[in-house]
Amino acid sequence: MSAAPPRGKLYLVPTPLDFGCEVDAGLGAALPEQTIAIAAGLTHWVTENAKSTRAFLKRVGTQQPLAAALQEQRITELPREVHKKGDHDAGGGFDAKPLLAAALQGQDIGLVSEAGMPAIADPGSSVVRAAHALGIEVVPLVGPISLMLALAASGLNGQNFAFVGYLPADASGRAQRIRELEALAQKTGQTQLFIETPYRNAALLQGLLQTLKGTSRLAVCCGITLSQQRVQSGLVADWKQRAATLPLELPAVFLIGK
């Protein structure tokens, strides 16, 4: 009776934060050599978007030879309802174990999102949970994580913080949520981080300045790691005294605190 092959590993592969933006720097400016080398050696992927993963691998291939040509890479997308709505719970009905079948046969698998670290403000946690359930080793690789970079650059409390995802799109719901987060930040000292789709960034900033108290602190970090990167942080009262010159058309992280 032949022994089962050793299990492969699940690598969490971060990607540059320039997805959807003009690429203005080489891959080596965002990812360390070891991360690029491991990505180049993988041939099986679970991904948020196959097209963006192929574009990422094309960039990897300019730094390190790929173990398999792009057309030979085995790329499996997460179901649409998972990568659109998030997959921490996924309604309790999504089983990611079948996506890891190759790892049970000894193949290493890469988990990748469109930008940044998979499973952090991006889908992928269901795949990580499935790997743990199957006894597959999970290996996070070093690379950019926009939330942590923004928090470090904000000057707000980095000892106690929470990421709360997206705020409501409608003005009244957004204002109510802003007041709730501001009260929590003022009471506990916990920094509140959130994001928005870039075309709504300007409306969100306007809503924050209209709703927050002057004594609260607000930070906005746009285009993290890009050449256009801009970080502005200070009391809301000070924000109102000076015009913001932020590239709000780029991906941004918003933070409020005390």
Side-chain angles (χ1 to χ4, degrees):
M1 188 173 182
S2 60
R7 287 176 168 83
K9 299 176 182 179
L10 176 67
Y11 286 98
L12 310 186
V13 182
T15 55
L17 299 176
D18 54 22
F19 175 75
C21 307
E22 182 179 349
V23 177
D24 56 8
L27 197 64
L31 299 177
E33 183 177 343
Q34 183 184 29
T35 295
I36 295 173
I38 290 174
L42 298 172
T43 58
H44 291 69
W45 298 87
V46 177
T47 179
E48 181 179 1
N49 183 284
K51 183 178 179 180
S52 63
T53 297
R54 292 188 186 96
F56 168 65
L57 289 172
K58 186 175 181 180
R59 295 174 72 182
V60 170
T62 67
Q63 305 291 314
Q64 295 267 357
L66 298 178
L70 281 178
Q71 61 269 27
E72 297 172 356
Q73 297 278 341
R74 299 190 179 185
I75 301 174
T76 302
E77 285 188 344
L78 287 164
R80 182 175 178 83
E81 63 272 15
V82 170
H83 70 74
K84 290 299 181 184
K85 298 180 180 179
D87 66 341
H88 183 67
D89 295 318
F94 178 63
D95 181 8
K97 294 186 183 71
L99 303 181
L100 300 173
L104 298 179
Q105 300 301 315
Q107 293 285 344
D108 292 333
I109 297 177
L111 175 65
V112 66
S113 64
E114 290 184 328
M117 178 66 77
I120 302 293
D122 268 317
S125 61
S126 60
V127 182
V128 176
R129 288 199 308 273
H132 288 302
L134 293 170
I136 295 168
E137 184 179 353
V138 177
V139 184
L141 300 180
V142 176
I145 305 176
S146 62
L147 301 180
M148 297 300 96
L149 294 172
L151 179 61
S154 71
L156 300 183
N157 188 355
Q159 304 296 322
N160 184 9
F161 55 90
F163 173 61
V164 298
Y166 291 86
L167 273 56
D170 65 286
S172 60
R174 182 175 60 223
Q176 179 179 347
R177 183 62 171 145
I178 289 171
R179 285 190 287 268
E180 292 171 353
L181 295 175
E182 180 181 42
L184 181 61
Q186 292 297 325
K187 180 180 180 181
T188 67
Q190 183 182 71
T191 301
Q192 306 296 310
L193 296 85
F194 42 96
I195 56 177
E196 184 52 277
T197 55
Y199 71 90
R200 290 179 179 160
N201 281 343
L204 175 55
L205 178 57
Q206 182 180 17
L208 287 164
L209 295 178
Q210 290 175 344
T211 307
L212 291 170
K213 298 175 182 177
T215 53
S216 290
R217 289 191 175 272
L218 170 67
V220 183
C221 305
C222 299
I224 290 289
T225 74
L226 304 183
S227 63
Q228 309 98 309
Q229 173 179 300
R230 190 72 192 280
V231 178
Q232 186 169 327
S233 180
L235 294 175
V236 171
D238 294 332
W239 275 82
K240 294 179 178 180
Q241 294 296 321
R242 55 178 177 169
T245 55
L246 295 166
L248 292 171
E249 71 278 5
L250 297 176
V253 179
F254 296 82
L255 309 90
I256 57 177
K258 60 183 295 187

